[in-house]
Amino acid sequence: MSAAPRVKIPDKAAKDEIVDVRTFITHAMESGLRKDEAGQSIARRIINRFEASFDGRPVFSATIEPAVAANPFIRFAMRATASGDLICTWHEEGGNSWTAMAHLEVT
């Protein structure tokens, strides 16, 4: 149901530059309120938490509520202090999670 998530950041940044981070995941975000063709309730499946860390240090997190549309796009800014890896993780109710990584080179 979900495709590989994407994270987009610049390849390079100057030290202490503020960089724009854009993330996206394809996910149906089923609310649990709809019924299938047989009249049975479709199980609730939403991404309810997003976390981003840079070289093991948290830089951004969000709690996502059921009213968020399918295929959530999350955008935030962070300061480029050193070269490293940005790891973003989307958590779904029920225990599934997806992770994507992007490398930032600081000059």
Side-chain angles (χ1 to χ4, degrees), residues 34-67:
R34 294 186 322 127
K35 298 193 184 293
D36 63 15
E37 296 81 24
Q40 300 295 319
S41 292
I42 299 172
R44 179 171 153 150
R45 287 185 57 243
I46 65 165
I47 291 178
N48 62 355
R49 198 169 76 241
F50 173 82
E51 299 168 334
S53 62
F54 189 76
D55 275 355
R57 293 184 315 266
V59 292
F60 182 84
S61 67
T63 300
I64 301 171
E65 300 296 331

Side-chain angles (χ1 to χ4, degrees), residues 11-96:
D11 292 332
K12 295 181 182 180
K15 184 165 175 50
D16 292 326
E17 179 181 346
I18 303 296
V19 296
D20 185 45
V21 179
R22 297 172 186 221
T23 72
F24 176 81
I25 187 169
T26 302
H27 191 278
M29 301 289 276
E30 186 57 58
S31 69
L33 301 175
R34 294 186 322 127
K35 298 193 184 293
D36 63 15
E37 296 81 24
Q40 300 295 319
S41 292
I42 299 172
R44 179 171 153 150
R45 287 185 57 243
I46 65 165
I47 291 178
N48 62 355
R49 198 169 76 241
F50 173 82
E51 299 168 334
S53 62
F54 189 76
D55 275 355
R57 293 184 315 266
V59 292
F60 182 84
S61 67
T63 300
I64 301 171
E65 300 296 331
V68 170
N71 309 321
F73 170 79
I74 299 172
R75 183 178 181 182
F76 62 95
M78 67 175 222
R79 184 176 304 275
T81 57
S83 297
D85 294 324
L86 175 68
I87 298 175
C88 297
T89 306
W90 294 257
H91 300 276
E92 179 187 74
E93 287 183 350
N96 291 329

